[in-house]
Amino acid sequence: MVAIYDPKTAQNQSTKSQNIIDLGTPEVKTDERVTLTIDGQEIDVPKGTSVLRAAAMLNITIPKLCASDNLESFGSCRLCAVEIEGRRGMPASCTTPAEQDMQVCTQNKKIARLRKNVMELYISDHPLDCLTCPSNGDCELQDMAGAVGLREVRYGFDGENHLDAAKDTSNPYFTFEPSKCIVCSRCVRACEEVQGTFALTIDGRGFDSKVSTGHDNDFLSSDCVSCGACVQACPTSTLMEKSVIDQGQPERSVTTTCAYCGVGCSFEAHMKGEEVIRMVPAKDGQANHGHSCVKGRFAFGYATHQDRITSPMVRDTIDQPWREVSWDEAINFAAKRLKSIQKKYGKDSIGGITSSRCTNEETYLVQKLIRAAFGNNNTDTCARVCHSPTGYGLKATLGESAGTQTFDSVMEADAVIVIGANPTDAHPVFGSLLKKRLRQGAHLIIADPRKIDLGNSPHVKLDHHLPLRPGTNVAFINAMAHVIVNEGLEDKIFIAERCETKAFQQWYSFISDERHSPENTETITGIDAEQLRQAARLYANVDKGAIYYGLGVTEHSQGSSMVMGIANLALLTGNIGREGVGVNPLRGQNNVQGSCDMGSFPHELPGYQHVSNDELRGKFEQHWQVEIDNEPGLRIPNMFDAAIDGSFKGLYCQGEDIAQSDPNTHHVEAALTSLECLIVQDIFLNETAKFAHVFLPGSSFLEKDGTFTNAERRINRVRKVMRPLAGKADWETTMALSNALGYPMNYQHPSEIMDEIAELTPTFSGVNYQKLDDLGSIQWPCTERNPIGTPTMHMDSFPIGKAIFALTEYVATDERASRKFPLLLTTGRILSQYNVGAQTRRTDNQMWHDKDWLEIHPHDAQERGIQDGDDLGISSRAGDTVLTAKITERMQPGVVYTTFHHPESGANVVTTDNSDWATNCPEYKVTAVQVEKVSSPSNWQLRNKEFSKKQTKFLPKNRPGKDRVKL
Amino acid sequence: MTVKLTNIIKMSNQIADNIGLHLDSDQAVDKVVNHIQLFWAKSMKHDLITYYQNDGNLLNEISQQATIRLVEIERENAK
Ligand code: SF4
Ligand code: SF4
Ligand code: SF4
Ligand code: FES
């Protein structure tokens, strides 16, 4: 049988993927089929399939160099020549489509001679340093020379050649050594077709042609975003990972999942012993199909960075140095403190925070620890501050707290609306897929206060940019719906069949009111009414319209209303329940979806089962053998308020840096200093840990088994490739704490935790590790009815039967520009850094973004006499900080922007504690500020610097970890 | 007034503004009460009630009525 990878039948995910063969040209999708004969064997393939691919499907290997099945064929190397009956010459099989009754011969003397000649020409202009070449043993050129039986090079090496071409080592992660280039243009095509950046070109013609990063550029200064697609595509060692050059070829490979963003790319961790040599995106990865971004592919060095803390530590107060202690001592210290706090201040005086960076299994255990061992529901997760409105809004309208599609679904969309998201930076691999669809001609509408890169990507046409004012999302989305209703463009059949009638009628009369018309909302949103009308018509009139949104939707005082408004719009146009449509939240961190699914929120047990429902809660009580409180607990901001108030005294915080990531830093710091016991579990001494009494060293994603769930509900396996540096994986630490508190937990492996999850969570009932290994990944719901998961949600019905249109009145935020604070600050992120930056700042990604900037429109800058690079004091009613100015037309006048990747910037000193009405998700995206030139850092920055210095000094001098991490 | 109480009042008013508008006041109060029941911790409901009983001026109309309803529910539950 032909060894084509089929996830449904593949057996062992962790070893099999290396055997996936390159079929040479991409799959063709059509129902029309043709039958041809290759070397006497008959095969039936979709019409349009290349002869090269058809042969590969028969296990007939035709030599090739310029072809690869993730790139359109190019036909430049001529190595894949074949003979076809009735045709003259020897056509390239990669560019020749299979035809009915074609007779192909792939090997005879004539063909062999031609191939040998081709190889000879290549090799005559190629250095013969194979033995010392970093690609030795992993080089397609070498393989092909062997395959065609090349034995001599008649031309000699003295003629004109490229052997002296200079090397480009500017990129921190890979080198470009042009002397080894065979100008197959795979890199150029990978950059265009896979990544969509178009940073590379072939300059010159014939012998003079060479790969170029553009005039006067090297890789680092060019448009290159360091995704590595070209490195992976290169058949020679011209483009090569520096880690392989330094450390040699890896010897084994383990499939695992990226721990950065919500795309959840699958990777092959290429290992030597316990050392990761490189990460290569898995070709059979169902979220990423062999692509990745600079973070996942290259920025993994933090995992063995010398800042890793690998020994448990305790101290009585935060003014004391840390004491390194044994695991037992640290766990008992923590347990004793928590117990005595509860004795003194009551059961509800402690709580915990689960992490969206940890695995599902770990998150599940932390909330279980809180509900069962702490005896209260004071559990929350960092998803509170990003996508909690998604959970609320989608559950209220569609009946399930999750996005509706797969990523691949975008390849069917006719029009895409992107709202408050920046996919090329924050969800790069999905961004590349989206760009691919847009280059094929799908329409694009962007609603964002800023101009984002997606809108001016090469060969992408932006139909409408709707530059709305921060804080006016709901007015905008209502106006969109108003136009559709007003112009009779709604999908009446879908509404009648799939939506609740009474709610729709009520909503219909609400939205029909003239106050929602684009003309009337123009003064609120700042969006030109005619532009908005056109955009609404475009979305309503295409067959398949898809909406993608990010934190620019959720992080507002009306975040939940906006999510419901988006769902309304999709329902109104019948854009739910099919391929190519849908409501798609782009989740920030790797396991935001998972941490929500796993019952991290104070009001919901795993699987969004409300604590007040006796039947649902009873199921957990019985299984856990403990009574569970039937009222919701405190959310993160409520915990802070209670801490300052003196009623909340102990916090267990796993893998989240609330001191840096949460808004209104002054308030957060006041809360943290009021705690009598703060337990931080992390891989680094993060900002929060500087306020902690117990430090429990965490493990990176490379050091444990588990699962992450990405933005498309896809449960992916995380596999251990090295032992935990501190001796315990995070789930083991939580277990130890629970046992010390007197609530026994006894799992031998995370798979047992997943089994328990499946038993208690209906949407996970069919999930287990064996099935995950077999299928590669599973999109929940995975039940008896959908045993291999559910790629597209709501196909026939909604979990609540019929969908509900929600009334979403626009209510202006309290945070308004005023004379004192005339500008609006909004926040976001960039490609190379991730979130609070704890990981990426400890890698060479720093080269792209070593500080946070304040982006400001030239008009606002001029008014204040601001030049590029000036230090700017930025103040709000919450606090002030100093950032460096970057003047850019990306911004609209009146709006400034910054990222929050660096703790010393103190971006969150400025943001306020305003929050979403339904979920308390902070309003990071709107803060009224004033900006002025200053000459020194802010008071907070000075104080913070002092404090950080002091806390770092409190670390033990010769930490054992410092040596241990140098594997 | 403590930060905690200021926030409680603000949150409750915000909920009323967002789900109460355009509904008759009975319906609006129902929805607000339901929301608070589903999402607020015990201690927060207590703080709201205590504030209402002692002062309550900063609560908007719907929030005030919702709080009265919460008191009734508490009383029912205590029985
Ligand atoms: S690393 Fe990515 S963006 Fe840069 S040149 Fe290669 S393919 Fe293009
Ligand atoms: S750099 Fe590699 S992929 Fe690009 S043209 Fe040269 S050999 Fe081909
Ligand atoms: S950061 Fe996101 S897009 Fe990049 S490799 Fe990781 S999961 Fe993929
Ligand atoms: S592989 Fe067909 S021409 Fe290069």
Side-chain angles (χ1 to χ4, degrees):
Chain A
M1 214 3 241
V2 188
I4 302 162
Y5 175 71
D6 175 1
K8 307 283 177 298
T9 54
Q11 283 308 305
N12 188 345
Q13 166 89 1
S14 56
T15 53
K16 141 246 92 210
S17 37
Q18 288 146 292
N19 306 329
I20 302 172
I21 51 172
D22 182 345
L23 297 174
T25 61
E27 186 187 358
V28 175
K29 284 194 179 129
T30 168
D31 292 337
E32 266 186 272
R33 303 191 72 91
V34 294
T35 306
L36 72 165
T37 310
I38 306 175
D39 294 346
Q41 296 187 61
E42 216 170 70
I43 185 167
D44 167 72
V45 294
K47 194 174 174 195
T49 301
S50 72
V51 170
L52 180 67
R53 185 178 173 98
M57 289 165 78
L58 279 169
N59 248 351
I60 297 171
T61 316
I62 300 175
K64 63 177 185 57
L65 272 174
C66 68
S68 173
D69 61 7
N70 65 339
L71 304 172
E72 293 303 327
S73 59
F74 191 58
S76 70
C77 77
R78 314 297 302 169
L79 205 58
C80 66
V82 291
E83 277 191 336
I84 296 173
E85 217 176 270
R87 290 205 193 174
R88 281 194 301 164
M90 288 180 270
S93 61
C94 65
T95 49
T96 308
E99 280 169 24
Q100 184 63 34
D101 301 327
M102 204 179 229
Q103 300 276 340
V104 181
C105 168
T106 72
Q107 183 69 22
N108 61 29
K109 279 212 174 105
K110 232 166 94 194
I111 299 173
R113 201 174 319 124
L114 173 72
R115 288 185 187 147
K116 236 186 225 185
N117 283 343
V118 170
M119 277 314 289
E120 204 176 350
L121 270 172
Y122 274 125
I123 298 299
S124 67
D125 188 14
H126 194 86
L128 289 186
D129 59 355
C130 287
L131 276 183
T132 51
C133 176
S135 273
N136 191 12
D138 183 24
C139 172
E140 290 182 43
L141 190 67
Q142 225 174 36
D143 295 348
M144 289 308 122
V148 305
L150 185 72
R151 297 293 172 257
E152 56 172 351
V153 177
R154 285 166 297 171
Y155 310 105
F157 297 94
D158 315 328
E160 204 184 340
N161 59 42
H162 300 97
L163 300 180
D164 298 327
K167 213 162 154 176
D168 176 352
T169 57
S170 60
N171 183 292
Y173 298 116
F174 59 83
T175 59
F176 174 59
E177 196 178 346
S179 67
K180 296 192 167 168
C181 180
I182 58 170
V183 204
C184 66
S185 101
R186 269 161 76 163
C187 53
V188 177
R189 284 175 289 146
C191 191
E192 292 174 1
E193 295 170 27
V194 179
Q195 165 56 27
T197 293
F198 293 73
L200 303 177
T201 49
I202 301 280
D203 270 3
R205 278 169 184 276
F207 178 80
D208 288 330
S209 58
K210 59 178 203 296
V211 173
S212 155
T213 44
H215 190 61
D216 270 353
N217 275 332
D218 55 17
F219 266 86
L220 194 65
S221 61
S222 72
D223 288 340
C224 167
V225 293
S226 196
C227 71
C230 56
V231 179
Q232 192 174 341
C234 182
T236 66
S237 86
T238 313
L239 285 160
M240 193 68 192
E241 290 97 344
K242 287 183 176 171
S243 59
V244 176
I245 297 177
D246 291 345
Q247 290 153 290
Q249 293 288 335
E251 52 202 23
R252 68 187 173 98
S253 152
V254 183
T255 308
T256 190
T257 303
C258 178
Y260 282 118
C261 87
V263 178
C265 296
S266 297
F267 277 92
E268 306 282 335
H270 285 184
M271 309 290 301
K272 225 181 186 143
E274 283 199 291
E275 212 172 344
V276 182
I277 303 295
R278 67 175 163 197
M279 297 287 265
V280 178
K283 195 165 168 185
D284 55 335
Q286 289 150 355
N288 58 319
H289 308 294
H291 190 37
S292 75
C293 79
V294 59
K295 294 187 287 275
R297 191 193 292 259
F298 294 123
F300 54 84
Y302 72 87
T304 48
H305 193 276
Q306 59 166 14
D307 287 353
R308 280 285 300 266
I309 296 182
T310 56
S311 176
M313 306 186 296
V314 299
R315 57 182 176 178
D316 288 317
T317 70
I318 66 166
D319 298 322
Q320 292 176 354
W322 287 102
R323 276 189 294 129
E324 270 179 3
V325 293
S326 68
W327 273 106
D328 275 352
E329 201 179 333
I331 296 282
N332 288 331
F333 182 97
K336 210 169 126 201
R337 282 215 162 187
L338 291 176
K339 277 199 251 180
S340 80
I341 289 174
Q342 279 190 307
K343 206 159 157 209
K344 193 161 155 201
Y345 301 98
K347 199 167 71 176
D348 294 339
S349 59
I350 63 173
I353 300 178
T354 73
S355 173
S356 299
R357 293 200 282 221
C358 286
T359 63
N360 284 317
E361 292 74 5
E362 287 163 344
T363 307
Y364 174 86
L365 277 202
V366 173
Q367 62 86 34
K368 179 174 178 181
L369 166 93
I370 293 161
R371 299 186 203 275
F374 290 8
N376 63 44
N377 287 323
N378 292 334
T379 166
D380 207 355
T381 176
C382 34
R384 169 70 51 214
V385 302
C386 67
H387 265 290
S388 50
T390 291
Y392 176 88
L394 296 187
K395 184 146 190 167
T397 47
L398 310 179
E400 192 62 89
S401 300
T404 59
Q405 312 296 119
T406 58
F407 289 136
D408 288 351
S409 151
V410 77
M411 293 310 285
E412 304 243 324
D414 301 313
V416 174
I417 310 186
V418 177
I419 311 173
N422 188 6
T424 54
D425 280 45
H427 302 87
V429 166
F430 171 70
S432 289
L433 193 68
L434 172 58
K435 284 193 285 185
K436 190 174 197 168
R437 181 61 187 156
L438 296 171
R439 287 197 304 275
Q440 292 173 353
H443 295 284
L444 174 64
I445 299 163
I446 295 176
D448 202 294
R450 274 199 330 151
K451 291 192 186 112
I452 58 171
D453 286 344
L454 180 67
N456 58 19
S457 307
H459 309 286
V460 164
K461 177 170 169 265
L462 171 60
D463 291 86
H464 303 283
H465 176 220
L466 310 176
L468 73 180
R469 283 195 195 108
T472 64
N473 284 346
V474 174
F476 150 68
I477 206 80
N478 284 346
M480 292 283 283
H482 177 88
V483 172
I484 293 170
V485 163
N486 184 245
E487 302 189 7
L489 303 174
E490 71 270 29
D491 184 339
K492 296 194 178 65
I493 299 174
F494 182 89
I495 296 166
E497 284 175 359
R498 305 285 312 270
C499 305
E500 223 257 307
T501 315
K502 199 169 148 236
F504 174 69
Q505 283 165 348
Q506 203 174 22
W507 179 83
Y508 190 89
S509 66
F510 158 79
I511 207 74
S512 304
D513 192 284
E514 272 303 309
R515 71 178 183 280
H516 300 302
S517 77
E519 291 72 20
N520 286 330
T521 50
E522 191 171 328
T523 49
I524 302 171
T525 60
I527 302 171
D528 177 73
E530 184 49 33
Q531 277 278 339
L532 191 146
R533 275 195 187 271
Q534 284 177 15
R537 284 178 204 134
L538 173 60
Y539 173 71
N541 283 332
V542 293
D543 178 31
K544 292 173 179 174
I547 305 177
Y548 290 83
Y549 72 87
L551 303 181
V553 158
T554 52
E555 290 175 347
H556 286 277
S557 67
Q558 282 202 294
S560 292
S561 305
M562 180 60 180
V563 172
M564 295 191 286
I566 288 174
N568 288 343
L569 199 66
L571 291 170
L572 185 66
T573 48
N575 277 318
I576 294 277
R578 298 176 283 147
E579 275 283 274
V581 301
V583 175
N584 302 277
L586 293 171
R587 307 287 186 150
Q589 307 196 60
N590 52 331
N591 203 32
V592 170
Q593 181 69 51
S595 74
C596 298
D597 300 342
M598 289 301 106
S600 298
F601 289 142
H603 64 287
E604 279 164 341
L605 291 153
Y608 307 99
Q609 306 181 76
H610 204 277
V611 290
S612 66
N613 182 314
D614 292 341
E615 194 189 322
L616 300 178
R617 195 184 63 255
K619 203 170 54 174
F620 285 85
E621 291 181 327
Q622 206 181 8
H623 198 290
W624 295 354
Q625 290 293 302
V626 68
E627 204 175 305
I628 301 170
D629 192 350
N630 67 355
E631 287 196 64
L634 298 167
R635 300 173 284 204
I636 294 174
N638 314 142
M639 291 182 197
F640 292 156
D641 286 351
I644 292 173
D645 205 45
S647 55
F648 188 80
K649 291 285 185 188
L651 181 68
Y652 172 43
C653 182
Q654 182 179 79
E656 186 187 357
D657 196 0
I658 41 183
Q660 192 186 338
S661 66
D662 285 40
N664 195 352
T665 308
H666 289 304
H667 186 64
V668 177
E669 289 180 353
L672 294 179
T673 38
S674 323
L675 296 174
E676 289 180 12
C677 180
L678 173 59
I679 307 163
V680 168
Q681 187 170 330
D682 207 285
I683 59 177
F684 299 115
L685 189 82
N686 61 18
E687 299 307 300
T688 312
K690 293 172 183 164
F691 298 87
H693 307 91
V694 181
F695 186 90
L696 303 173
S699 49
S700 80
F701 76 112
L702 297 167
E703 296 157 38
K704 56 199 181 190
D705 280 298
T707 55
F708 291 150
T709 308
N710 77 356
E712 32 159 30
R713 292 168 281 106
R714 187 183 299 286
I715 309 165
N716 269 316
R717 273 285 267 120
V718 176
R719 290 187 180 83
K720 181 170 160 179
V721 302
M722 58 172 82
R723 284 166 297 169
L725 296 186
K728 276 190 202 296
D730 292 292
W731 58 275
E732 294 174 299
T733 307
T734 305
M735 236 166 56
L737 183 58
S738 187
N739 288 328
L741 283 165
Y743 181 79
M745 286 191 189
N746 255 314
Y747 307 94
Q748 302 303 313
H749 188 269
S751 65
E752 297 176 10
I753 307 174
M754 181 52 87
D755 292 342
E756 182 174 319
I757 295 167
E759 219 174 299
L760 291 167
T761 312
T763 43
F764 275 65
S765 59
V767 180
N768 60 58
Y769 274 34
Q770 184 59 52
K771 199 189 272 182
L772 283 167
D773 284 345
D774 293 348
L775 299 178
S777 69
I778 300 172
Q779 286 177 280
W780 69 260
C782 174
T783 59
E784 217 168 281
R785 269 188 57 207
N786 310 299
I788 58 165
T790 312
T792 308
M793 299 272 288
H794 316 307
M795 305 258 282
D796 313 307
S797 71
F798 294 92
I800 42 173
K802 295 201 165 180
I804 294 172
F805 276 83
L807 297 183
T808 53
E809 185 64 67
Y810 167 65
V811 180
T813 167
D814 293 346
E815 197 63 25
R816 261 166 270 194
S818 60
R819 198 172 324 151
K820 193 161 171 214
F821 301 117
L823 302 170
L824 291 180
L825 167 72
T826 181
T827 59
R829 37 176 139 171
I830 49 114
L831 171 69
S832 54
Q833 298 283 5
Y834 173 72
N835 216 348
V836 295
Q839 292 134 299
T840 43
R841 277 185 282 114
R842 292 180 172 95
T843 67
D844 284 331
N845 278 27
Q846 280 288 82
M847 288 179 78
W848 286 279
H849 187 86
D850 59 358
K851 68 200 285 190
D852 294 318
W853 301 81
L854 189 78
E855 293 186 15
I856 183 165
H857 187 271
H859 174 80
D860 295 323
Q862 198 191 11
E863 235 177 29
R864 292 166 176 77
I866 295 169
Q867 308 279 333
D868 241 341
D870 280 352
D871 281 341
L872 297 185
I874 164 161
S875 52
S876 73
R877 62 182 171 82
D880 63 297
T881 191
V882 174
L883 292 162
T884 314
K886 184 181 259 173
I887 301 175
T888 162
E889 302 233 356
R890 217 184 243 277
M891 305 309 305
Q892 47 174 292
V895 181
V896 293
Y897 168 91
T898 188
T899 48
F900 55 96
H901 303 301
H902 295 272
E904 58 279 6
S905 323
N908 279 324
V909 176
V910 181
T911 55
T912 69
D913 52 11
N914 270 0
S915 68
D916 173 42
W917 64 269
T919 65
N920 274 167
C921 177
E923 190 174 38
Y924 288 107
K925 300 293 178 185
V926 196
T927 311
V929 296
Q930 178 58 295
V931 168
E932 60 190 349
K933 269 166 73 165
V934 292
S935 52
S936 63
S938 74
N939 287 338
W940 178 86
Q941 281 169 315
L942 292 173
R943 245 185 305 125
N944 183 258
K945 199 169 168 191
E946 252 332 280
F947 179 68
S948 288
K949 212 158 99 196
K950 187 166 109 190
Q951 290 296 331
T952 314
K953 273 204 190 127
F954 285 163
L955 282 174
K957 286 281 159 332
N958 294 311
R959 285 185 287 127
K962 279 210 134 162
D963 310 316
R964 205 182 314 159
V965 292
K966 291 200 190 97
L967 280 171
Chain B
M1 189 178 291
T2 64
V3 182
K4 187 171 78 163
L5 188 54
T6 316
N7 282 340
I8 294 269
I9 296 166
K10 185 167 160 190
M11 278 168 2
S12 145
N13 287 343
Q14 240 185 318
I15 295 168
D17 283 346
N18 274 279
I19 49 182
L21 284 177
H22 313 295
L23 296 175
D24 66 52
S25 66
D26 260 3
Q27 253 187 323
V29 172
D30 274 354
K31 282 197 150 192
V32 174
V33 169
N34 184 40
H35 186 92
I36 291 181
Q37 292 278 63
L38 284 179
F39 297 99
W40 281 30
K42 254 182 303 229
S43 58
M44 294 162 65
K45 289 176 229 172
H46 260 266
D47 291 340
L48 179 67
I49 291 172
T50 316
Y51 168 68
Y52 174 73
Q53 286 168 340
N54 291 332
D55 175 353
N57 270 330
L58 294 172
L59 291 174
N60 61 22
E61 180 59 31
I62 304 280
S63 284
Q64 293 198 6
Q65 289 182 36
T67 316
I68 298 173
R69 189 83 61 81
L70 282 171
V71 177
E72 284 163 13
I73 295 172
E74 291 242 315
R75 227 176 266 145
E76 280 294 304
N77 287 347
K79 269 185 202 163

